Amino acid sequence: MAIPKFQDFLYPFLLQLKNTDMSNKEIKDNLISHFNLTEEDKQMKTKGGSAYQIDDRIGWCRQWLRRALFIEIPEKGVYRITKRGLDYLKSHTDLRQNDLLEYPEYAIYAGISSEKKNNDTVKSESSSEELTPTEQLEAAMKKINDDLAEDILQKTREMSPAKFEQLVLDLLLTMGYGGSNKNLAKVTPISHDNGVDGIIPEDALGLDKIYIQAKRYKEENSVSKPEIQQFIGALSEQKASKGVFVTTSNFTQGAKDSVSKATSKIVLIDGHSLAKYMIDFNVGVSTRKCYEVKRLDTDYFEE
């Protein structure tokens, strides 16, 4: 089964504290039992892969309930329900963000005034029901990067073939191929020479070379089997064991099958992978603004 939506955790989290204080581990174990989560469920991570979903949901439950003064921390790692929390349980069988917004302390924390509550929270209800703030941030970053990737592909497809070949070589250098030795890192473009567009040392010692083919294609123009076979032939002529074939479009299944049967080690990089690498390694992109996500350093506060 899938991990329940984020806000589905709020009420059972609070309810289990009704009669006793609990530790982090006890709360987690009880919620796992409450939702009948499997080992596979417990290993599921947020979409961005930064945390386990179960830990992320429980962590944000603690934060929201504390901000609403529903729970408190009498000692490190122990949680206790407050009178406000107990009063809520007496008259409710569910708990959502809209309920927490009735309490001024939480409303201030959430940055939503009573005037804006009805309009703004309804609009965001579907996402906040399912996702924690961490996941919402990761989803927003994915959308930003997906849009950026499309812009990158559009620009690369508008490049001249020579400029695109240089871009591919620049990316591989930035990824660490070629090493720190500037002489060895210097690439030698071979324009349309038997299906090879560039060569780059694999490491700082230059013990092996990687041969590159770069195809600047439109999205609908896939790299097919004959082009891959030509590249395999070029590697064979050079007695090369490693190659990278990069395109701004994609590869047909026949092209992929040819690579799987080749004696040389060949890596295929399609347009979407190319854009992702360029974003990850800051090639052709610049940072507009950095947002640091910080967490409490509990060790600092130890006596």
Side-chain angles (χ1 to χ4, degrees), residues 122-284:
V122 170
K123 293 177 183 177
S124 63
E125 184 175 355
S126 59
S127 61
S128 62
E129 279 280 327
E130 183 174 358
L131 306 177
T132 66
T134 300
E135 291 172 314
Q136 291 179 50
L137 177 61
E138 289 174 347
M141 285 302 302
K142 182 180 183 303
K143 184 178 186 307
I144 290 171
N145 281 340
D146 286 347
D147 290 343
L148 175 58
E150 289 300 318
D151 290 341
I152 288 173
L153 284 177
Q154 180 180 344
K155 288 296 184 183
T156 56
R157 289 167 183 153
E158 294 172 356
M159 284 180 165
S160 67
K163 179 66 174 176
F164 179 62
E165 292 166 11
Q166 186 60 51
L167 180 152
V168 171
L169 296 172
D170 289 343
L171 175 61
L172 291 175
L173 283 168
T174 305
M175 292 174 73
Y177 296 98
S180 58
N181 187 312
K182 296 301 181 182
N183 293 325
L184 290 175
K186 183 179 180 180
V187 294
T188 306
I190 306 176
S191 181
H192 306 293
D193 182 7
N194 295 323
V196 175
D197 292 325
I199 303 174
I200 189 170
E202 183 177 17
D203 52 46
L205 296 177
L207 295 177
D208 205 352
K209 294 179 180 179
I210 298 174
Y211 288 74
I212 302 159
Q213 174 67 288
K215 289 294 185 183
R216 181 188 53 83
Y217 282 169
K218 294 180 179 180
E219 183 177 6
E220 63 274 13
N221 189 9
S222 301
V223 175
S224 59
K225 181 177 178 179
E227 291 166 293
I228 294 296
Q229 290 180 326
Q230 182 184 7
F231 185 52
I232 292 173
L235 295 180
S236 178
E237 288 182 11
Q238 298 291 336
K239 301 187 185 308
S241 61
K242 297 174 183 178
V244 178
F245 199 118
V246 185
T247 181
T248 53
S249 59
N250 48 63
F251 298 92
T252 65
Q253 188 58 50
K256 295 176 184 178
D257 291 341
S258 293
V259 165
S260 66
K261 298 174 183 177
T263 55
S264 299
K265 175 63 177 177
I266 300 174
V267 174
L268 302 180
I269 300 178
D270 62 19
H272 290 292
S273 297
L274 172 63
K276 183 180 184 301
Y277 285 132
M278 290 178 66
I279 293 171
D280 290 345
F281 289 91
N282 293 313
V283 175

Side-chain angles (χ1 to χ4, degrees), residues 13-66:
F13 185 110
L14 184 65
L15 184 62
Q16 66 180 312
L17 295 174
K18 181 178 179 180
N19 298 314
T20 183
D21 297 351
M22 286 190 179
S23 67
N24 281 317
K25 184 179 185 306
E26 290 171 327
I27 291 172
K28 181 177 179 178
D29 290 344
N30 286 348
L31 287 172
I32 288 173
S33 177
H34 174 81
F35 290 115
N36 296 314
L37 300 182
T38 65
E39 286 299 320
E40 183 179 358
D41 295 330
K42 290 187 286 184
Q43 296 303 312
M44 291 181 65
K45 290 197 171 184
T46 59
K47 293 181 179 179
S50 63
Y52 290 105
Q53 283 190 5
I54 180 68
D55 294 331
D56 189 52
R57 278 157 166 68
I58 291 174
W60 282 104
C61 280
R62 288 196 300 263
Q63 179 77 339
W64 282 23
L65 294 174
R66 284 184 62 200

